[in-house]
Amino acid sequence: MIEFPPGLLLIIGACFVPLLPHVVRNAYMLALPVIGFWGLLILPEGIHFAFDIFGYTLSPVRVDGLSLIFGYIFHIAAAISIIFAFHMKDTVQQMAGLVYAGAAIGGAFAGDLITLFIYWEATAIASVFLIWSSRTEAAYRTGMRYLVIQVGSGVLLLAGAILQYKATGSLDFSKMGLTGPGPVLIFIAFGIKAAFPLLHNWLQDAYPEATVTGTVFLSAFTTKLAIYALARGFPGTEMLIWIGATMTAFPIFYAVIENDLRRVLAYSLNNQLGFMVVGVGIGTELALNGTAAHAFSHILYKALLFMSMGAVLYRTGTIKGSELGGLYKSMPYTTGFCIVGAASISAFPLFSGFISKSLIITAAATEGHWIVWLILLFASAGVFHHSGIKIPYFAFFQHDSGKRPKEAPSNMLFAMGIAAFLCIAVGIYPAPLYAILPFQVNFVPYTTTHVVTQLQLLLFSALAFTILMKTGLYPPELKSTNLDFDWTYRRMLPKLLKTIGKVFVPADQFVRTVFLNRVEKFIASVFRHHGPEGLLARTWPTGSTVLWVAVLLALYMVFYFI
Amino acid sequence: MADQQKPDEKKYWLDDQNNVKKIIWALYIVCGLSVIADFFYHKHVHYAAEDWIPGMYGWYGFIGCVFLVLSAKVLRKILMRDEDYYDEADDD
């Protein structure tokens, strides 16, 4: 059997895409993740392809339970995203999608920090083309901001790796904990891509600006690679529990008032990452299993939700809640798939979120983190509220917008169908997913207590939505921009710089004017004394010269005799 | 809902307000049933608070969501700007 480094097949394969005619291109692109997946199945655990360069030992491929589960789901996500984009003929996006997916897969198998850095930056550079391909002014600017932040994260990772090498003499990417400046820099680098609070805005900024198909790719890889990296490098880091809990809670407030439905999904993506980060922070086997399982099911239902919203955007040209409504009449299949995704993210029993999120929540309870546990339950209710109800309700139901778009193209429906099938299959029969988790699982999701309590939580959230809607208390969808932390670097800092400019420029000009005046005065005085009319430049009559010579001689004689 | 209905268009089940009411009533009933269900099994809890009153999770979810939405409305007053807020900023 031929072994090859996971992910590299997709990256190299992407180079041949432009050479192929469109007829065979789709089949070729789909074949890459399928073959890559098969390659994973035959790849034995351990370190592969290790080599020495300039005295450093690099191990580009490390296969174990944690990397494998992320490898599997990344391949599945790539395949689904490719099918969803079958109708598209934009070569740039096709190549970018493949390279991006390949880089994320490679990153999940990186055994050392340098390999990780290379893949880390490759995901950033490849993915920005999925944003720029929208070919709008807004997308261009968003892409620039995205690129600066993503590449910046990579630079921090590299700096951290160098410091870590200086401190420990090893470039291995393994559990490090916050033990020095190197790991702290690496932690921040991971935190940027994992969208920690205050480092999160690139996500809500970029994902809604990307193309219809690009967002589906984006939703799967970058942030989950960061979750994998955190689970690898910083399991059991107490701080992550609180960071994660904050992440679950605060984006949902924004999700409630956001009008752009893809941005609502970006906020709820952020909230779901919070659950995974809590799992990493708790760091027990149960919790880390929960993080891995939740990443797996999350990628599927998040892709499904972004696909359904992508289909709506593709057919109607808008994704604003204020302009949509009543689409279930002409897009019934898309509506159905969207509801499956919504039920999965809300963790309804029999859907994928139920069997993965509960691992993390149970871990929080058993480890005695009761405040965090309460926050997670609140966030679970909130997720149902904005992703579970708001997304399908405002897009497909609510008041009739009068729009009657065609049903989504068949390739889109097929991709959504696969994702929806997997969401339900994993929810009904979680055993295969539990079998590929990094640690042995003894967890039974379907207990009477769990099913009933979860149903209570969700049904009463729906009740709250209904009552708020009926009483008119629910905030309507409005065309708006909601200020978030990115205000600091999109508005405050530029304004501050301009204000500083406004003070500094006049001050600077004042100093310059004063100085120039001095110089001018000096020149004028020199001119007065030495200019054509100046006292010292005047031509003297001979008589006065003789007089001055006589005076000088007299003085000389006086001094001589003294 | 019916005001934008095109006259020749198929009438959907949800277009009838009575059917929407049926769904809402079904929700009330299912909510009630889920609370009643608490009397019929032994609840395995991590914290005593989980079993204070029947339907504890339900009440928590309900209050949580109402709090979420009402505080988001307040947030909107502080945070909401025009849709092209940042575009204007860029043009300065």
Side-chain angles (χ1 to χ4, degrees):
Chain A
M1 286 290 177
I2 314 153
E3 289 169 6
F4 48 82
L8 213 55
L9 181 73
L10 274 75
I11 297 174
I12 296 170
C15 304
F16 297 99
V17 167
L19 307 176
L20 295 170
H22 281 291
V23 204
V24 290
R25 203 181 267 189
N26 283 338
Y28 168 76
M29 288 201 304
L30 184 58
L32 291 174
V34 172
I35 297 171
F37 191 87
W38 169 76
L40 280 192
L41 297 176
I42 59 164
L43 200 61
E45 296 210 352
I47 305 276
H48 303 276
F49 308 105
F51 63 95
D52 285 354
I53 183 166
F54 305 128
Y56 303 102
T57 308
L58 297 187
S59 35
V61 179
R62 178 239 332 259
V63 184
D64 65 6
L66 185 62
S67 50
L68 271 176
I69 184 168
F70 279 88
Y72 292 139
I73 189 59
F74 281 167
H75 277 94
I76 297 171
I80 291 176
S81 307
I82 288 168
I83 296 173
F84 186 73
F86 265 3
H87 64 281
M88 189 196 62
K89 300 208 164 25
D90 183 350
T91 312
V92 172
Q93 284 192 67
Q94 289 168 336
M95 291 179 70
L98 281 174
V99 172
Y100 176 40
I105 293 165
F109 287 91
D112 64 84
L113 291 166
I114 297 301
T115 311
L116 181 70
F117 163 76
I118 292 167
Y119 284 126
W120 197 260
E121 291 291 37
T123 59
I125 293 161
S127 58
V128 76
F129 286 97
L130 298 172
I131 302 165
W132 280 337
S133 292
S134 288
R135 297 187 171 83
T136 62
E137 178 68 21
Y140 170 73
R141 290 179 186 212
T142 299
M144 287 310 281
R145 284 193 292 270
Y146 173 85
L147 195 60
V148 167
I149 292 169
Q150 296 291 312
V151 171
S153 158
V155 171
L156 286 174
L157 172 58
L158 183 62
I162 293 166
L163 289 175
Q164 177 74 350
Y165 181 78
K166 288 267 178 198
T168 65
S170 157
L171 282 168
D172 272 357
F173 178 33
S174 49
K175 183 177 174 178
M176 45 195 133
L178 294 171
T179 48
V184 168
L185 285 181
I186 296 172
F187 185 78
I188 297 170
F190 293 173
I192 292 173
K193 282 216 189 197
F196 281 2
L198 306 189
L199 304 176
H200 66 284
N201 274 117
W202 62 267
L203 198 164
Q204 289 85 357
D205 188 15
Y207 287 14
E209 290 295 341
T211 59
V212 165
T213 52
T215 310
V216 181
F217 273 102
L218 286 167
S219 75
F221 300 112
T222 299
T223 49
K224 259 61 74 184
L225 177 60
I227 294 293
Y228 161 81
L230 283 170
R232 172 73 69 190
F234 301 96
T237 304
E238 176 96 20
M239 194 197 294
L240 285 174
I241 300 176
W242 294 102
I243 294 174
T246 314
M247 282 165 80
T248 60
F250 102 93
I252 59 180
F253 290 91
Y254 277 94
V256 170
I257 50 175
E258 178 58 53
N259 187 31
D260 183 317
L261 295 182
R262 290 204 298 174
R263 189 161 282 129
V264 173
L265 288 179
Y267 276 114
S268 85
L269 199 167
N270 207 173
N271 139 291
Q272 295 296 302
L273 295 172
F275 284 94
M276 298 171 216
V277 171
V278 169
V280 176
I282 294 170
T284 59
E285 291 194 352
L286 177 66
L288 289 173
N289 270 346
T291 296
H294 202 47
F296 189 98
S297 48
H298 163 88
I299 287 177
L300 290 171
Y301 59 66
K302 201 47 143 189
L304 178 53
L305 286 167
F306 269 118
M307 284 193 283
S308 66
M309 289 302 107
V312 168
L313 175 61
Y314 181 71
R315 282 302 194 209
T316 65
T318 180
I319 197 59
K320 301 203 167 99
S322 55
E323 293 166 22
L324 294 170
L327 297 188
Y328 78 94
K329 294 176 178 177
S330 59
M331 300 180 83
Y333 292 108
T334 307
T335 309
F337 291 136
C338 179
I339 291 173
V340 171
S344 302
I345 194 174
S346 314
F348 257 95
L350 303 182
F351 292 90
S352 59
F354 181 76
I355 59 97
S356 57
K357 192 159 70 180
S358 49
L359 291 163
I360 298 170
I361 297 182
T362 307
T366 48
E367 297 302 310
H369 296 287
W370 67 274
I371 298 176
V372 173
W373 177 77
L374 280 176
I375 296 173
L376 296 187
L377 280 184
F378 165 68
S380 300
V383 165
F384 178 49
H385 206 86
H386 66 77
S387 273
I389 306 178
K390 173 172 170 161
I391 291 282
Y393 181 77
F394 283 105
F396 299 109
F397 300 100
Q398 64 161 339
H399 59 84
D400 196 334
S401 64
K403 288 190 166 68
R404 293 287 181 272
K406 274 204 295 185
E407 180 58 273
S410 51
N411 66 300
M412 288 190 174
L413 290 178
F414 187 56
M416 286 190 268
I418 297 172
F421 169 78
L422 289 172
C423 282
I424 298 172
V426 167
I428 292 176
Y429 186 56
L433 173 59
Y434 285 176
I436 56 168
L437 293 181
F439 303 101
Q440 188 80 35
V441 183
N442 338 298
F443 183 79
V444 184
Y446 288 104
T447 63
T448 313
T449 306
H450 187 202
V451 171
V452 173
T453 52
Q454 180 70 6
L455 280 176
Q456 285 175 348
L457 187 75
L458 297 179
L459 289 170
F460 276 75
S461 304
L463 186 67
F465 181 84
T466 313
I467 290 175
L468 290 167
M469 267 299 186
K470 276 173 77 86
T471 51
L473 284 171
Y474 198 87
E477 296 294 281
L478 295 174
K479 289 185 180 184
S480 57
T481 300
N482 294 308
L483 303 186
D484 198 343
F485 190 70
D486 58 347
W487 178 80
T488 51
Y489 58 80
R490 292 178 69 181
R491 200 77 200 256
M492 191 188 80
L493 282 179
K495 278 246 165 185
L496 198 66
L497 288 177
K498 272 179 199 162
T499 319
I500 292 172
K502 273 179 193 154
V503 177
F504 179 75
V505 168
D508 175 63
Q509 270 170 353
F510 174 73
V511 172
R512 279 162 197 267
T513 334
V514 169
F515 186 72
L516 272 178
N517 280 344
R518 286 281 159 86
V519 171
E520 272 166 15
K521 273 186 186 158
F522 175 71
I523 290 172
S525 90
V526 168
F527 187 80
R528 187 149 40 83
H529 296 299
H530 298 276
E533 299 297 315
L535 188 69
L536 299 177
R538 223 175 277 162
T539 39
W540 306 87
T542 319
S544 68
T545 309
V546 170
L547 179 71
W548 279 110
V549 169
V551 170
L552 283 173
L553 278 173
L555 279 172
Y556 174 76
M557 281 171 70
V558 169
F559 281 113
Y560 184 80
F561 287 108
I562 289 173
Chain B
M1 195 175 271
D3 51 349
Q4 294 185 39
Q5 192 77 32
K6 289 168 192 141
D8 55 339
E9 202 178 71
K10 182 180 156 194
K11 192 97 170 130
Y12 285 82
W13 189 76
L14 274 177
D15 284 336
D16 188 346
Q17 279 303 308
N18 287 323
N19 290 330
V20 176
K21 278 187 187 137
K22 276 182 204 163
I23 292 179
I24 294 173
W25 272 104
L27 177 66
Y28 294 156
I29 292 166
V30 180
C31 282
L33 287 177
S34 76
V35 175
I36 295 168
D38 262 4
F39 291 103
F40 294 96
Y41 69 100
H42 174 69
K43 204 185 240 182
H44 295 277
V45 294
H46 292 101
Y47 302 108
E50 287 179 66
D51 217 7
W52 274 349
I53 51 168
M56 194 64 198
Y57 276 80
W59 303 119
Y60 185 72
F62 185 83
I63 294 167
C65 282
V66 171
F67 165 74
L68 169 69
V69 171
L70 296 185
S71 45
K73 272 181 88 159
V74 177
L75 271 181
R76 196 175 234 184
K77 288 197 179 123
I78 307 166
L79 298 173
M80 196 168 82
R81 296 292 184 276
D82 277 347
E83 203 172 22
D84 51 2
Y85 174 77
Y86 284 117
D87 304 339
E88 288 171 7
D90 290 339
D91 293 340
D92 275 356

